[in-house]
Amino acid sequence: MEAAAALSCTAQTRESSPPGGREEKGPPERKVYMDYNATTPLEPEVIQAMTEAMQEAWGNPSSPYPAGRKAKAIISAARESLAKMIGGQPQDIIFTSGGTESNNLVIHSVLQHFHKAHTSEGDAAERRLLGEGAMPHFITCTVEHDSIRLPLEHLVEEQVAAVTFVPVSKVNGQAEADDILAAIRPATCLVTIMLANNETGVIMPIPELGRRVAALNQQRVASGLPRILLHTDAAQALGKRRVDVRDLGVDFLTIVGHKLYGPRIGALYVRGLGERTPLYPMLFGGGQERGFRPGTENTPMIAGLGKAAELVTENCEAYEAHMRAVRDYLEARLVAEFNKKIHFNSQFPGTERLPNTCNFSIRGPQLQGRLVLAQCRTLLASVGAACHSDQGDRPSPVLLSCGIPADVARNALRLSVGRSTTQAEVDLVVQDLKQAVARLEGQA
């Protein structure tokens, strides 16, 4: 049984106090975890790789003695595993603390590069075309993760950059390439669009965007304008579908370990690191990661991330097929149980979505998502992004951006299945939801 199975069998004991004051423990309640878009457990092989690194590769990777050389070799192997998972080159992988750092590092680097190019050190022709004191321009979309949205909003507040937030289509839930290209200005320096949305599972048209930005860049360079860099946050897509940077055509790609059954660190892919694509460190120190991300490497975590990537490379098609079958079964069971009360919030005609994600609402004035989850005794899930868990009953901005009515969005539940989720567990969850809804409607 995989690591994830342990989550679906977690026991929680309900206690009762019969006459006489003695407390007796009742039977354990079965819990079924369906929040794999929030985080995933470590695979046993990942735990083993991390444990071995802690025991055998405890040396400083910069040291020449055996324990240090062992650590350095583990880091190099992990870098190769990550590169193979995404179709890139090992020398283009930088290890980071996680997705938030990777995303911030991209934004920081592009901002620094723009300013360097438009000072006395930079290209005089570009300065003439853009004008003295030109402000860098970033493009993103309205459903990005906070680690993209908030840094960009901060740049606007500090008046050091301009940002266009392109709305997603209410027809397909995507940030469309036409709308993104239409937002480009002479001073545009970065387009950053997630590969898959964490709440709806909608896959963004990054390959099309990559082709069109590359074609546009040829024209821009010929006319003396700066090249536009393309970044995608692939946190949700990796481990659920094949991801290849050559097909995507991106300059930067964010990798997050804990979304693919690995540890809570991350990495950043940079195409032609330091040569074709600029990267400017946010930290300064001992020169590790070629100076782009200094700090003594966390060898056990890197070992675990490398093993997680290796498992994805070997098994991605099987993972995807299993999750899709279970997710489709879940959606069929929801329709069979709730009929017209069910509204699927992420089923857009002709739009591809992640194989494991089901965002839906059960219609009813008493059936807000948080209230339904609070009544569930088996299901462990969320109403949306885990980082927005303090928003109360406010409807998800992502769903509102996709055109979901506020009263429907307020009732939303996001169920995301994993590698070991079974149809039997789906049956338990649907029954649990049915009973939760009955309790809430009975209170009205």
Side-chain angles (χ1 to χ4, degrees):
M1 182 179 288
E2 295 180 1
L7 280 174
S8 65
C9 300
T10 302
Q12 177 177 316
T13 303
R14 180 185 300 170
E15 296 182 350
S16 59
S17 298
R22 289 182 57 198
E23 290 189 351
E24 296 181 0
K25 293 184 177 181
E29 289 182 358
R30 176 77 176 272
K31 298 294 183 184
V32 177
Y33 182 75
M34 286 194 180
D35 206 14
Y36 290 90
N37 283 6
T39 198
T40 59
L42 297 174
E43 287 282 14
E45 296 95 327
V46 171
I47 294 173
Q48 181 180 355
M50 293 169 64
T51 302
E52 289 176 358
M54 283 187 274
Q55 292 173 336
E56 302 171 12
W58 50 266
N60 190 313
S62 300
S63 298
Y65 39 78
R69 293 199 302 271
K70 175 77 169 176
K72 187 173 183 178
I74 286 173
I75 292 168
S76 295
R79 203 184 308 275
E80 291 179 4
S81 293
L82 263 69
K84 188 175 181 181
M85 176 178 70
I86 63 169
Q89 297 298 317
Q91 63 269 24
D92 291 341
I93 300 291
I94 293 292
F95 291 109
T96 68
S97 62
T100 293
E101 182 187 343
S102 294
N103 288 345
N104 275 262
L105 182 55
V106 169
I107 293 167
H108 164 83
S109 294
V110 174
L111 182 69
Q112 292 295 313
H113 184 67
F114 183 93
H115 286 310
K116 185 174 181 180
H118 295 86
T119 63
S120 57
E121 303 173 26
D123 188 295
E126 282 189 15
R127 291 204 307 276
R128 284 195 302 272
L129 282 168
L130 297 178
E132 292 297 332
M135 186 176 288
H137 176 238
F138 295 77
I139 298 174
T140 188
C141 74
T142 53
V143 299
E144 290 293 320
H145 190 270
D146 279 356
S147 60
I148 290 291
R149 180 180 65 84
L150 292 177
L152 291 176
E153 288 181 351
H154 177 72
L155 296 183
V156 173
E157 290 169 5
E158 295 293 312
Q159 298 183 345
V160 295
V163 180
T164 298
F165 291 90
V166 174
V168 295
S169 167
K170 291 177 170 54
V171 175
N172 59 29
Q174 294 178 323
E176 296 188 320
D178 283 345
D179 295 334
I180 293 165
L181 270 290
I184 288 175
R185 307 174 187 174
T188 300
C189 52
L190 179 71
V191 172
T192 173
I193 304 290
M194 58 177 29
L195 184 50
N197 185 262
N198 48 313
E199 293 192 35
T200 63
V202 166
I203 306 296
M204 300 295 179
I206 303 301
E208 178 190 358
L209 191 58
R211 291 190 296 270
R212 295 180 65 176
V213 169
L216 180 61
N217 275 334
Q218 291 183 345
Q219 301 172 23
R220 286 173 66 93
V221 171
S223 64
L225 288 173
R227 189 166 64 92
I228 298 168
L229 297 170
L230 180 60
H231 166 245
T232 192
D233 181 347
Q236 288 296 341
L238 287 165
K240 299 166 188 165
R241 67 197 309 270
R242 282 288 173 198
V243 173
D244 193 311
V245 293
R246 294 164 296 190
D247 296 335
L248 298 175
V250 294
D251 300 293
F252 303 99
L253 182 139
T254 293
I255 299 167
V256 179
H258 77 99
K259 305 292 188 182
L260 47 87
Y261 292 73
R264 286 179 183 159
I265 62 166
L268 179 65
Y269 161 81
V270 186
R271 179 165 53 155
L273 174 59
E275 298 175 2
R276 187 185 192 281
T277 306
L279 195 69
Y280 291 76
M282 293 191 294
L283 305 173
F284 297 89
Q288 294 87 353
E289 296 296 284
R290 289 166 283 167
F292 293 113
R293 206 290 183 181
T296 303
E297 300 92 338
N298 191 338
T299 308
M301 290 289 191
I302 291 172
L305 181 57
K307 177 56 70 172
E310 185 181 319
L311 292 172
V312 168
T313 301
E314 293 172 356
N315 304 302
C316 190
E317 283 77 11
Y319 294 155
E320 181 177 6
H322 171 78
M323 289 186 283
R324 189 181 306 281
V326 174
R327 192 274 312 276
D328 290 351
Y329 179 73
L330 167 64
E331 292 183 345
R333 289 285 290 112
L334 288 170
V335 171
E337 198 61 61
F338 295 103
N339 201 356
K340 294 182 179 179
K341 291 180 72 171
I342 279 287
H343 183 277
F344 291 111
N345 301 320
S346 56
Q347 289 187 357
F348 297 95
T351 300
E352 188 180 0
R353 57 187 170 132
L354 292 175
N356 77 319
T357 305
C358 173
N359 193 308
F360 67 95
S361 299
I362 305 173
R363 290 188 176 96
Q366 299 88 29
L367 303 181
Q368 286 78 27
R370 292 184 186 281
L371 297 180
V372 173
L373 284 180
Q375 289 290 330
C376 286
R377 296 171 180 173
T378 298
L379 173 64
L380 301 175
S382 65
V383 298
C387 53
H388 293 160
S389 59
D390 60 349
Q391 288 191 346
D393 283 330
R394 283 181 292 173
S396 160
V398 169
L399 296 184
L400 295 178
S401 295
C402 294
I404 305 299
D407 60 325
V408 177
R410 197 171 286 112
N411 288 18
L413 298 170
R414 181 193 68 181
L415 271 57
S416 46
V417 303
R419 297 173 184 176
S420 65
T421 309
T422 66
Q423 291 189 359
E425 289 172 339
V426 168
D427 291 336
L428 288 173
V429 163
V430 173
Q431 182 63 22
D432 192 31
L433 286 168
K434 180 182 177 182
Q435 292 170 353
V437 167
R439 284 190 289 272
L440 288 170
E441 291 183 329
Q443 294 170 7

